[in-house]
Amino acid sequence: MRCIIANFAFDLTAREVTEAMVGISPEPVTGPSVRIGRRTYPVKQVGAVITRQDRRDFTAGEVTRAMKRLGFTCYPAPEPTLDDPVRNASGLLGGPAQES
């Protein structure tokens, strides 16, 4: 399927994308993501691998659109947590949690 990413046309298939991502460890997801096989990758990571371009050259939306057209499941960016980092650290270290 012909996809336009960063103003360049790519002829991609779902199989080619899956094969390109074999052996690549997913980075932590902080923005939109795509499920390829049993792993969830950030769309910018997938875009960089399949286009061999710098991540600044394309948008997450371009890659998300292409992945959806190829039949992959895409997810929006995760909701930010509103927790206080000091309270989280205190809880992880076993100290008393501060009340606000």
Side-chain angles (χ1 to χ4, degrees):
M1 179 172 292
R2 191 171 197 81
C3 303
I4 306 294
I5 301 174
N7 294 324
F8 290 98
F10 293 92
D11 289 318
L12 300 171
T13 64
R15 183 177 184 161
E16 290 173 339
V17 173
T18 303
E19 288 174 358
M21 298 307 292
V22 168
I24 296 178
S25 298
E27 297 171 358
V29 174
T30 58
S33 59
V34 59
R35 186 144 192 88
I36 298 175
R38 294 183 297 166
R39 295 181 172 186
T40 302
Y41 296 90
V43 293
K44 288 284 220 170
Q45 181 183 13
V46 174
V49 170
I50 63 175
T51 65
R52 296 188 181 112
Q53 294 181 347
D54 190 274
R55 295 175 192 210
R56 295 173 290 182
D57 294 340
F58 54 86
T59 66
E62 291 174 313
V63 179
T64 300
R65 190 176 322 112
M67 295 299 104
K68 283 183 180 178
R69 288 181 61 201
L70 291 172
F72 293 104
T73 304
C74 297
Y75 303 100
E79 293 294 323
T81 58
L82 301 175
D83 295 335
D84 180 19
V86 173
R87 187 175 295 158
N88 282 344
S90 179
L92 291 172
L93 293 172
Q98 297 174 352
E99 305 263 340
S100 43

